[in-house]
Amino acid sequence: MSLKVVKFGGSSLADANQFRKVADIIKSDDNRRFVVPSAPGKRFSDDIKITDMLYKCFDLACSNLDFDNEFETIKQRYNDIISDLGVEISLDSDFDSIKNELKSKPNRDFAASRGEFLNGKILAAYLGFKFIDAAEIITFNTNGMLLLDETVKKIRTKLEGISHAVIPGFYGSTTEGIVKTFSRGGSDVTGSILANAVKASIYENWTDVSGFLVTDPRIVDNPDVISVITYKELRELAYMGASVLHEDAIFPVRTAGIPINIKNTNRPQDAGTMIVSDDHEFDDESSAHTITGIAGRKGFSAINIEKAMMNSEMGFGMKVLKVLADNNVSFEHMPSGIDTMSILVDTASLTPVKDIVLAQLRKEVEPDHLEIEDGVALLAVVGRRMKNTRGTVARIFAAMAHARINVKMIDQGSSELNVIIGVSETDLNEAIRRIYDMFISSEKTE
Ligand code: ASP
């Protein structure tokens, strides 16, 4: 039997109208049995998320300032949803106790978690599902680390015999009973853990986009949606800055072999993006494109080192990397020639220690030439099909050459899942557009 865990993001539950859409989606499929809501998000672009308002109340409470107005606005938003839906529930006693708690012993995570807690209560009442407080099942140690095994056990015990339930996202509690949240966007993580614990056949993550886009829509107009992506590909793209899902939401479902379907609450008819295990057998090879996605990130520096006979000097690379490690600078890529080596690092972590790093490198490896080049962007072209397709790199270079974009470096991992190229930051957007045209637009017209 298929069992679905469904998580709805803040914009999917921002007002009563959105609640109705969510209820329609849930009621249209009886397998959608366990529901994880976020707190109400933005209704329009200048709106403020409930979570942010709660953080504000906490900050004011900590400074012993009055937060009545802010709290009233929060109450109003929930009460509007309740009255507009016509649901038989009053949160008045919850509002009172939350306010008192904030006044007497303000706790940041407790404050933030109430957004999901209250929203979960409304949604459960509206759907006629059981409400289960996440504090009773999602468990952290006293240092705030999630205790996955213990959590899974608690979920299984708690949900035994319960067919349909709403479990608020984003928070749980420590073994000492203190409310603790995940980092921002953490309701995704709750949904993923729950899917693992109940052995869901699928984890549906409902948001306000129809899935993962091939590339950034601020760079390419109306990019295609990725229909299927593997966990590995997703990680490559996420690392380069593409994001839809909380990073920690991957592990619990990935290890259990549960696919994630990113869906759009405002367009439930769209298939969305399916995130599948790395050994998934595809039957869509013929219709799909050679590449899955393109992502880029600015803010890198290249440390360029030149030294005659570098290649025969034992331990040269090790000495260079040790200088970086000693100064807490991690490296991203390290393309090298016979007598040259470039190390690509994050500019923000290099800048504060730049002079020390240069001095230490001079001392340790006595280079003939040493320079730091800022303003480098890295671009990742990711795709599981590249491995079995000839000429992908040639096409990337052809696209760059036609646009007269200088490629500073290239790196293809042995997994052949991605090609990373370094370009000047000023060329990044054009490079992405050209690669998109080469692989997506032109493959469609072929
Ligand atoms: N409400 C929380 C946030 O705004 C958690 C979530 O939406 O997933 O970050």
Side-chain angles (χ1 to χ4, degrees), residues 7-10 37-40 49-52 55 112 115-116 169-170 182-189 246:
K7 178 256 166 180
F8 290 88
S38 281
K49 290 176 164 197
I50 289 279
T51 311
D52 291 315
Y55 280 128
E116 273 66 12
F170 191 37
F182 293 107
S183 55
R184 294 299 304 262
S187 299
D188 286 344
V189 189
H246 191 294

